């Protein structure tokens, strides 16, 4: 009996391990007799043959795994050359692997496709499981990881709004993940789902940053209410494509941006003389189990299950995707799709969802995102 090997690529999410749990449960229920292996920290681990064995997990431990942040098998951001894929295929043969399940985003799904091609003729099936909190995978309605990240940013911004309204003396800039796609930043506008009110300004990476227009609007907010909450993407750029803050580090597609929120906050204070502060949740918003979305977790689990079934059924070069069935009530189904050649093309927010003049999003975004969000039984009261 051949073995199955699991790998993760890119940044973890709140539900990446839920997808792994879905695959492992499916593997167990199929009567699979081989070993469940994992490449420690992704493709780099497989290149080094740094491979471990995943023990048999009962349903209780699989539930714990589904609620565990990060990546239980380790993830990586390895740049691969053409010859590396051949080396990976050879190593898989040495490990007697017949099935490879890779969880990740755009770059990782591209890796899965190329690895499946390198494994042709070797009897190895390679499938992908979608994962990205950035929600920039174009082939799926949304990506596992996004709903939890959206829940985190919307709930956290809601609490910031209440804080600022209680002491309306400053502007607060909250920085959100999103290199080129503004889905997470836009999701801050969903704060009304959990609390009271919405941010005053959204700065999306799809909209070139204009310093004069930004400062003008901040000045208006100061006169109108004496305070404001601004949510800004880490990937803000000027019209010529230059980041408003020089990236700290860049390797391949991976970019480590500077502190955009701090830059904007200092800009407000220095240019307008207004008290301001910055907040940067960073990876706190990427893997928070406290704000893990139940819908996100169940869809991630199902993506892992469907991808595992596809591999066992002999499919290769495919991935699971989420297809929306209805909005109210929200329902989805998980189906199998080929990993397309254009998988590296990031899905940015469409123009119809962006209100450029008001530094906001349109009803089209709410129609897309709101049905997927869960309304918790909480609310806030304010008398000011």
């Amino acid at each position: 009996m051949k073995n199955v090997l699991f790998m993760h690529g890119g940044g973890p999410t709140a539900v990446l391990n839920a997808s792994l749990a879905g695959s492992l449960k499916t593997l167990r229920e199929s009567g699979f007799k081989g070993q469940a292996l994992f490449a420690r920290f992704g493709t780099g681990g497989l290149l080094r043959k740094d491979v471990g064995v995943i023990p048999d997990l009962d349903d209780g431990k699989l539930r714990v795994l589904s609620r565990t942040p990060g990546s239980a098998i380790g993830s990586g951001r390895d740049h691969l050359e053409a010859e590396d894929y051949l080396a990976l295929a050879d190593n898989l043969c040495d490990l007697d692997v017949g099935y490879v399940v890779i969880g990740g985003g755009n770059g990782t799904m591209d890796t899965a496709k190329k690895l499946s091609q390198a494994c042709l003729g070797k009897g190895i099936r390679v499938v992908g499981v979608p994962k990205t909190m950035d929600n920039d995978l174009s082939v799926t309605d949304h990506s596992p990881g996004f709903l939890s990240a959206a829940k985190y940013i919307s709930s956290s911004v809601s609490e910031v709004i209440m804080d600022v309204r209680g002491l309306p003396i400053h502007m607060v800039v909250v920085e959100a993940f999103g290199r080129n796609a503004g889905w997470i930043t836009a999701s801050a506008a969903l704060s009304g789902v959990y609390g009271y009110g919405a941010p005053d300004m959204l700065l999306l990476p799809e909209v070139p940053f204009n310093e004069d227009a930004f400062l003008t609007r901040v000045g208006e907010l100061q006169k109108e209410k004496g305070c404001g909450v601004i949510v800004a993407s880490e990937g803000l750029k000027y019209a010529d494509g230059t980041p408003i803050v020089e990236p700290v580090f860049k390797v391949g597609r991976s970019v480590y941006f500077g502190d955009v929120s701090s830059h904007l906050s200092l800009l407000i204070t220095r240019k307008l003389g207004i008290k301001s502060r910055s907040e940067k949740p960073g990876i706190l918003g990427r893997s928070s189990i406290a704000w893990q979305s139940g819908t996100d977790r169940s869809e991630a689990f199902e993506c892992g299950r469907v991808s595992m079934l596809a591999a066992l059924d002999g499919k290769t070069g495919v991935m699971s995707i989420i297809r929306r069935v209805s909005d109210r009530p929200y329902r989805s189904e998980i189906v199998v799709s080929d990993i397309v050649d254009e998988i590296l093309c990031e899905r940015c927010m469409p123009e119809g969802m962006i209100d450029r003049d008001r530094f906001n999003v349109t009803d089209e975004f709410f129609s897309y995102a709101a049905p997927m969000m869960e309304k918790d039984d909480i609310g806030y009261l304010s008398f000011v």
Side-chain angles (χ1 to χ4, degrees):
M1 171 64 72
K2 295 285 187 178
N3 301 317
V4 58
L5 181 132
F6 295 93
M7 289 191 289
H8 287 160
T13 73
V15 297
L16 180 55
N17 287 323
S19 291
L20 178 60
S23 293
L24 291 172
K25 183 172 184 179
T26 302
L27 201 62
R28 188 186 69 197
E29 292 176 346
S30 73
F32 186 76
K33 300 301 182 183
Q35 287 187 310
L37 308 176
F38 70 94
R40 195 170 277 107
F41 304 114
T43 54
L46 180 55
L47 280 173
R48 299 186 300 270
K49 288 192 177 179
D50 185 4
V51 173
V53 178
I54 300 176
D56 291 334
L57 302 176
D58 60 23
D59 286 346
K61 285 188 172 63
L62 288 175
R63 280 194 294 272
V64 172
L65 180 61
S66 292
R67 290 165 172 80
T68 299
S71 169
I73 61 175
S75 187
R77 295 188 188 275
D78 303 294
H79 176 72
L80 301 176
E81 301 291 347
E83 59 270 20
D84 293 325
Y85 288 98
L86 300 177
L88 289 172
D90 288 340
N91 287 354
L92 290 170
C93 290
D94 292 343
L95 294 164
D96 202 22
V97 169
Y99 312 92
V100 179
V101 182
I102 308 179
N106 305 70
T108 306
M109 292 302 97
D110 183 62
T111 294
K113 181 178 181 64
K114 291 175 179 175
L115 183 57
S116 70
Q117 294 167 342
C119 289
L120 290 176
K122 298 180 182 293
I124 301 173
R125 286 84 169 180
V126 181
V127 299
V129 182
K131 174 278 315 174
T132 174
M133 61 164 288
D134 291 333
N135 199 36
D136 57 1
L137 272 169
S138 59
V139 295
T140 181
D141 179 81
H142 56 281
S143 301
F146 167 62
L147 295 185
S148 295
K151 188 174 181 181
Y152 179 95
I153 193 71
S154 58
S155 58
S156 298
V157 166
S158 177
E159 293 167 349
V160 171
I161 289 170
M162 295 302 293
D163 183 287
V164 172
R165 287 188 177 183
L167 184 62
I169 62 172
H170 52 206
M171 298 290 164
V172 177
V173 184
V174 181
E175 185 172 330
F177 271 139
R179 180 175 50 205
N180 296 311
W183 299 103
I184 299 299
T185 302
S187 295
L190 296 166
S191 56
V193 174
Y194 300 103
Y196 181 76
D200 298 287
M201 298 176 68
L202 300 175
L203 304 180
L204 304 167
E206 289 87 351
V207 181
F209 180 72
N210 183 306
E211 183 176 309
D212 290 338
F214 168 71
L215 291 174
T216 296
R217 180 57 188 139
V218 171
E220 292 171 350
L221 284 172
Q222 170 69 11
K223 292 178 181 178
E224 292 167 10
K225 51 197 291 191
C227 63
V229 175
I230 302 157
V231 183
S233 164
E234 64 176 355
L236 282 185
K237 303 175 185 66
Y238 294 111
D240 64 359
T242 304
I244 70 168
V245 178
E246 183 179 356
V248 176
F249 186 68
K250 184 174 182 180
V251 176
R253 296 179 64 252
S254 299
V255 181
Y256 293 81
F257 291 97
D259 287 333
V260 168
S261 56
S262 177
H263 172 79
L264 293 173
S265 181
L266 289 172
L267 198 63
I268 291 170
T269 301
R270 288 171 177 167
K271 292 292 183 77
L272 299 178
I274 298 172
K275 183 179 179 181
S276 179
R277 64 184 303 144
S278 63
E279 304 289 342
K280 185 175 181 177
I283 61 174
L284 291 173
R286 187 166 73 186
S287 297
S288 172
I289 293 301
W291 285 107
Q292 185 192 61
S293 159
T295 300
D296 201 14
R297 182 177 61 245
S298 63
E299 289 181 337
F301 187 96
E302 186 69 4
C303 282
R305 186 186 75 84
V306 169
S307 290
M308 189 72 258
L309 285 174
L312 294 175
D313 195 39
K315 295 182 173 63
T316 191
V318 301
M319 62 183 289
S320 52
I321 63 170
I322 301 172
R323 179 181 294 165
R324 189 181 303 222
V325 175
S326 69
D327 282 331
R328 303 191 185 281
Y330 171 74
R331 288 190 302 113
S332 66
E333 62 179 2
I334 312 301
V335 298
V336 174
S337 172
D338 290 336
I339 302 177
V340 298
D341 292 336
E342 301 80 17
I343 196 67
L344 281 175
C345 297
E346 297 167 308
R347 179 183 65 167
C348 295
M349 288 185 61
E351 192 62 29
M353 292 187 182
I354 301 172
D355 187 337
R356 291 174 178 255
D357 295 334
R358 295 176 56 246
F359 294 92
N360 212 324
V361 290
T362 67
D363 289 342
E364 185 178 329
F365 172 78
F366 286 99
S367 296
Y368 166 78
M372 300 184 286
M373 303 302 290
E374 302 156 344
K375 284 192 176 181
D376 290 349
D377 234 353
I378 62 171
Y380 303 144
L381 289 175
S382 178
F383 309 106
V384 293

